[in-house]
Amino acid sequence: MAESAESSKDYFVTTVNEDHATICWGCGLRLLLPTHAPVFKCGWCGAITSQNVNKPETKCLWGRRLQDRCFVTILSVFMLFLICGGVWAVHWFVFSVSYTFGIFHYILTAILAATTVSTFSLSAFRCAGTPPTVLWGSYPVVGKGDLENYTFCHYCVKPKSPRAHHCRSCGTCVLDMDHHCPFIGNCVGAANHRHFIAFLFSAVFSTIYISFLSAYAGLHIWPPVKYRSLGHLNGSSRDLAIRAFKEVMLALVSSAVQLSARGLILVYLFVSSVSLQIGLSVLLWQQLCFIYEGKTYLSHLSSQGSGGDHIEEKGCQNIFRFFGCPYSIFRYLPTLRNSPKRHTK
């Protein structure tokens, strides 16, 4: 009985399969995995390692950058045309109304043009956001929890913080990346997100002013519209509506042929400005909604993919914090918070 009792206290030694052992990229410690886990987290530094990593592809990087530069050049030329063409097309009209209105028009045009061009330049040519630099790779250097939820970017070959995302078009990691905008040829991130929102505001106000002014000036130089006789008003109301619509369109086309070059530019300015302000207004509203929710576009997509377990605090304080307003203002702002649901038995 004594021998059996002593044998029960013996220690058992087993071998560990090398396939279940791996090295943490964050601290360099050797980890033993219970199973063939594709993704694991280090218990010391908190770094997350994924064993299923695709090989980085950098062949099309120059092509994407060239495409972005082409978009930026086209948009710059288009903005220059809107500014110069609009000033030339309505020059005669604004001073024919009054000298004061002409001066006001040129001052407002200069302010809108300078604001739009400057915010566009800051959004396009400023760094979108550089992730913080951290120490990694060696156990004595990396402390406990120093790389909490960090992942390793195999494109940049360096740690990537949880708030960073790698952009394959720019070829770098961007802090608080919202999206990559081809029209500015740059990512929208922590460093230029405010400038991008300011550019959208300025562009929307500018296109609204251009559309109203070009429409008002175009009505004064539009040739007289001559309608042909509709004949006997017989038939159904639907046929009469179709005939009237065709007659109006034919009259407008025939009068538009007589427009001068100034009139054609006004028509183009009106159509292009209305189209732009619709698209930019939708984009601006979407961006403000994400800022109100305390998210970016990429974090919104990731929250949808994860089922929305992590709920951010919504409120106007997010918008004021985004634009750098002091925290003391937040207490006077209304907030919308998700109140917990109560279940009655």
Side-chain angles (χ1 to χ4, degrees):
M1 295 294 292
E3 293 180 357
S4 61
E6 293 178 358
S7 63
S8 63
K9 297 180 180 180
D10 292 342
Y11 295 96
F12 295 93
V13 180
T14 182
T15 59
V16 177
N17 192 354
E18 291 294 333
D19 295 337
H20 292 184
T22 186
I23 302 298
C24 175
W25 63 265
C27 57
L29 295 179
R30 189 178 182 86
L31 304 178
L32 298 179
L33 304 181
T35 58
H36 295 279
V39 179
F40 61 91
K41 183 176 181 179
C42 179
W44 173 257
C45 65
I48 298 176
T49 302
S50 176
Q51 295 182 343
N52 298 330
V53 180
N54 297 325
K55 187 178 180 180
E57 298 178 359
T58 58
K59 296 180 180 179
C60 300
L61 182 60
W62 65 271
R64 295 170 183 170
R65 291 180 177 176
L66 179 61
Q67 182 181 4
D68 291 341
R69 297 298 178 267
C70 292
F71 273 120
V72 172
T73 303
I74 293 173
L75 186 58
S76 302
V77 173
F78 180 72
M79 287 193 302
L80 186 63
F81 171 76
L82 286 181
I83 296 172
C84 299
V87 169
W88 175 80
V90 300
H91 172 76
W92 62 273
F93 172 74
V94 293
F95 281 100
S96 64
V97 175
S98 67
Y99 184 78
T100 304
F101 180 70
I103 297 299
F104 171 79
H105 161 72
Y106 274 100
I107 293 176
L108 183 59
T109 301
I111 293 175
L112 291 176
T115 305
T116 304
V117 173
S118 60
T119 52
F120 172 77
S121 301
L122 290 173
S123 302
F125 303 110
R126 185 174 182 176
C127 178
T130 304
T133 303
V134 294
L135 299 176
W136 63 284
S138 178
Y139 163 70
V141 177
V142 180
K144 185 175 180 59
D146 288 350
L147 299 176
E148 187 69 25
N149 294 329
Y150 270 69
T151 56
F152 189 78
C153 180
H154 293 268
Y155 296 91
C156 301
V157 196
K158 63 181 181 180
K160 182 175 64 175
S161 67
R163 296 172 51 193
H165 182 82
H166 183 85
C167 178
R168 297 188 180 183
S169 298
C170 296
T172 184
C173 289
V174 179
L175 184 64
D176 288 341
M177 178 178 173
D178 185 84
H179 68 285
H180 180 85
C181 182
F183 296 102
I184 65 174
N186 196 7
C187 287
V188 178
N192 64 345
H193 202 170
R194 297 179 188 176
H195 303 299
F196 182 73
I197 298 298
F199 166 68
L200 292 180
F201 270 113
S202 180
V204 169
F205 290 146
S206 300
T207 51
I208 291 175
Y209 181 70
I210 292 173
S211 60
F212 275 105
L213 191 60
S214 58
Y216 190 62
L219 291 176
H220 285 74
I221 66 171
W222 194 277
V225 181
K226 299 179 180 179
Y227 299 98
R228 295 183 300 179
S229 176
L230 294 176
H232 299 286
L233 299 177
N234 297 327
S236 62
S237 59
R238 180 180 178 182
D239 295 336
L240 290 176
I242 294 176
R243 290 172 56 188
F245 177 76
K246 291 181 178 179
E247 181 63 28
V248 171
M249 294 303 297
L250 289 174
L252 289 176
V253 171
S254 60
S255 61
V257 174
Q258 305 175 8
L259 282 174
S260 61
R262 193 186 300 271
L264 293 175
I265 291 180
L266 287 175
V267 172
Y268 177 77
L269 289 175
F270 175 78
V271 175
S272 59
S273 60
V274 170
S275 303
L276 274 178
Q277 74 186 32
I278 293 174
L280 293 177
S281 299
V282 173
L283 179 59
L284 178 60
W285 176 256
Q286 182 190 51
Q287 288 286 310
L288 292 178
C289 288
F290 288 150
I291 296 173
Y292 178 83
E293 295 176 357
K295 300 179 180 179
T296 62
Y297 177 68
L298 291 180
S299 64
H300 172 72
L301 294 180
S302 61
S303 63
Q304 286 184 338
S306 60
D309 298 333
H310 182 66
I311 300 176
E312 299 288 345
E313 183 181 357
K314 301 180 182 179
C316 296
Q317 70 274 8
N318 293 330
I319 298 179
F320 280 82
R321 187 183 296 110
F322 175 82
F323 288 103
C325 295
Y327 183 78
S328 58
I329 300 178
F330 299 156
R331 66 186 66 180
Y332 303 105
L333 300 176
T335 57
L336 296 177
R337 299 180 180 177
N338 296 328
S339 58
K341 297 181 179 180
R342 297 181 179 178
H343 301 277
T344 58
K345 297 182 179 180

